Amino acid sequence: MYSMKTVEDIRGLFPALQQSVYGKPLVYLDNSATSQKPQCVIDLVDGMHKGANANVHRAMHKLSDDATALYEGAREKVRQFINAPGRENIIFTSGTTASINLVASSFCRKFVGEGDVVLVSGDSHHSNIVPWQLACGAAGASVKAIPVLESGELDMEAYKELLQGSRVKIVAVEHISNVMGIVNPVKEMIALAHAQGIPVLVDGAQGIVHARVDVQDMDCDFYAFSGHKIYAATGSGVLYGRRELLEAMPPYMGGGDMVDTVTFEKTTYAPLPLKYEAGTPNFIAQASLAPALEFAQSLREGEIASVVEEQERSIIEYLKVALQEIEGCRIYGLPQRGDMEPGMPGSKIPVFSFNIEGCFPSDLAQLLDKMGIAVRTGMMCCEPLMARFGVTSMVRASFLPYNTLQEAEYFIASLKRAARMLR
Ligand code: PLP
């Protein structure tokens, strides 16, 4: 479908990467926040607005049929991409945050009570902390965190103890940290939790982008991700759920499309997955998951896959060394073993968060911006993790397959220049 042989061929499919900022070619290194969009996604969104723009599932007319086919086609694409058993396991949401809120709210209402515990990983994004706090507050339960080691990895011994001692009702863990880029051993963590009869939600916002996800092999109970981080339009998102749990939990929101019959006395709900899809969904964004995931898959197959893997490996190796060579630079999250295959537990994806002594992260980011480089600074929605490392802010550079080693080199040269200007 795509004839991509080089990273330049990949870049050519992304109009946004062709632009200049402040007269400099854009070097977009804020990919963990959101990805740029390939032409196939732009075409789908544009085409639906011009053609198949009608509400899904509701009407007996051609436009609605076309929109429904694209929406449900995307669901099937998601199912294949993560190897879910059926379409009823795939709930469309507006993103990872919405997916986790859905589970926190519905699961806790059904299964969590006074004195119970929800265990979250210590590297969690706020969207894997706050929804659980809200739900636990209502249930009289509490949230506990799995500690993070100095290397950025989760403390597995502490995790095992936390599972034993308390009344843990669910574990919610990051697949890959959005700050440190470390791949957590989620399969092992799930097996340990299941041995105690505890279900596990995996926050896959970064995992879906950088690892091959097979929910049946992983054996997770829930897997949440956002479309916009993996090339799809903003406003698309997915919750994979184990069927028995999705059946047992109460609906999250009420409204159109999620019902079977409604009377003023009593309502029965639509079968999965629509039970959790109240109201008009963002059907164009969700439909864009089909071309987006096809595109992501094409980067993992054939000739281009080895080019992408090699490029990723060389960027990681280069940045590990080059950042540490900068005086006063500290990288947060360097796994103890440096030799794990990319995407495997204990490996690091090309996401680097760091600080340079004597430089405010926001000053560095502003100077880099003027040199055409987009990076992220601040807490990265991970305040507890910042506190763990005793800082309030970091700089983060995050890469996707369309980023080149030359961009990484330009980033390092520009960073050194910016640090010199500030110190
Ligand atoms: N979890 C992780 C690990 C993330 O990186 C993000 C976004 O950066 C989220 C959750 C929230 O994703 P969204 O804002 O798309 O809902």
Side-chain angles (χ1 to χ4, degrees):
M1 182 181 175
Y2 302 96
S3 81
M4 294 180 289
K5 292 198 165 54
T6 63
V7 176
E8 283 310 318
D9 292 340
I10 303 174
R11 293 178 70 79
L13 299 171
F14 287 81
L17 296 179
Q18 316 307 320
Q19 63 189 305
S20 296
V21 290
Y22 307 114
K24 305 275 188 328
L26 169 68
V27 175
Y28 184 74
L29 303 182
D30 194 16
N31 292 290
S32 291
T34 200
S35 68
Q36 296 302 338
K37 311 303 169 211
Q39 190 63 50
C40 55
V41 166
I42 297 168
D43 288 346
L44 185 285
V45 171
D46 191 40
M48 279 187 82
H49 276 124
K50 289 175 180 161
N53 181 40
N55 217 328
V56 291
H57 300 143
R58 287 163 168 82
M60 300 295 275
H61 59 73
K62 171 88 170 66
L63 260 54
S64 179
D65 283 350
D66 290 352
T68 303
L70 288 162
Y71 183 78
E72 290 301 330
R75 199 189 307 273
E76 172 55 18
K77 183 72 224 172
V78 172
R79 188 200 67 71
Q80 288 168 18
F81 195 75
I82 63 172
N83 193 30
R87 71 181 279 280
E88 60 281 354
N89 302 102
I90 308 296
I91 315 295
F92 280 146
T93 68
S94 62
T96 311
T97 304
S99 298
I100 300 176
N101 271 278
L102 187 165
V103 179
S105 169
S106 293
F107 181 91
C108 291
R109 265 191 288 152
K110 176 81 182 181
F111 295 112
V112 175
E114 190 80 31
D116 286 337
V117 170
V118 171
L119 201 52
V120 302
S121 52
D123 57 355
S124 283
H125 189 279
H126 293 164
S127 61
N128 194 38
I129 302 172
V130 186
W132 298 110
Q133 289 173 333
L134 291 170
C136 284
S142 60
V143 174
K144 285 191 180 165
I146 306 161
V148 174
L149 299 171
E150 198 57 19
S151 64
E153 288 153 293
L154 295 176
D155 183 340
M156 290 295 283
E157 292 314 310
Y159 173 58
K160 287 175 199 162
E161 273 172 36
L162 282 161
L163 281 178
Q164 300 294 334
S166 55
R167 293 170 52 184
V168 178
K169 283 288 161 9
I170 187 165
V171 174
V173 58
E174 300 298 302
H175 188 176
I176 301 181
S177 155
N178 65 306
V179 174
M180 304 176 294
I182 295 181
V183 183
N184 287 326
V186 285
K187 195 171 169 184
E188 186 190 344
M189 295 178 81
I190 291 164
L192 286 164
H194 283 180
Q196 311 289 326
I198 304 167
V200 180
L201 173 140
V202 179
D203 172 352
Q206 304 298 331
I208 196 72
V209 188
H210 293 278
R212 287 168 199 250
V213 175
D214 179 331
V215 288
Q216 295 190 69
D217 177 61
M218 190 186 279
D219 205 22
C220 56
D221 301 278
F222 300 102
Y223 194 91
F225 69 91
S226 306
H228 69 95
K229 292 186 198 282
I230 186 161
Y231 313 118
T234 312
S236 58
V238 172
L239 172 68
Y240 158 80
R242 197 184 288 284
R243 189 183 181 135
E244 306 82 86
L245 286 168
L246 291 175
E247 299 274 17
M249 284 157 35
Y252 176 47
M253 295 200 299
D257 226 22
M258 55 74 73
V259 291
D260 180 18
T261 61
V262 181
T263 65
F264 285 113
E265 289 71 38
K266 184 174 168 15
T267 292
T268 55
Y269 307 119
L272 294 172
L274 298 188
K275 170 182 170 186
Y276 292 101
E277 292 181 15
T280 300
N282 195 340
F283 56 87
I284 296 185
Q286 303 296 14
S288 81
L289 276 161
L293 296 183
E294 262 160 40
F295 175 77
Q297 201 165 331
S298 70
L299 293 176
R300 297 175 180 182
E301 288 166 356
E303 217 177 308
I304 194 68
S306 48
V307 173
V308 166
E309 277 166 30
E310 190 41 47
Q311 174 94 344
E312 179 173 303
R313 212 184 294 270
S314 54
I315 287 175
I316 294 172
E317 288 316 314
Y318 170 72
L319 286 178
K320 264 190 207 165
V321 175
L323 279 170
Q324 288 183 100
E325 276 174 4
I326 298 176
E327 201 196 325
C329 180
R330 168 160 189 202
I331 302 175
Y332 300 95
L334 282 176
Q336 291 160 6
R337 286 187 57 181
D339 59 346
M340 303 302 290
E341 277 298 299
M344 298 307 285
S347 66
K348 186 170 173 73
I349 60 160
V351 170
F352 283 81
S353 293
F354 60 88
N355 268 313
I356 299 180
E357 227 172 76
C359 304
F360 282 118
S362 52
D363 291 345
L364 285 170
Q366 271 179 350
L367 288 171
L368 289 171
D369 181 41
K370 294 295 179 293
M371 300 179 205
I373 302 170
V375 292
R376 173 80 193 269
T377 51
M379 291 182 179
M380 267 105 41
C381 298
C382 286
E383 196 172 345
L385 186 67
M386 298 289 131
R388 158 69 183 81
F389 287 111
V391 296
T392 52
S393 184
M394 297 178 185
V395 183
R396 180 183 70 190
S398 52
F399 294 70
L400 274 181
Y402 50 58
N403 291 118
T404 63
L405 181 58
Q406 291 70 33
E407 285 182 310
E409 288 167 349
Y410 175 64
F411 161 63
I412 290 293
S414 308
L415 184 64
K416 285 181 179 164
R417 214 176 123 206
R420 272 198 308 273
M421 288 159 82
L422 292 170
R423 292 203 283 204

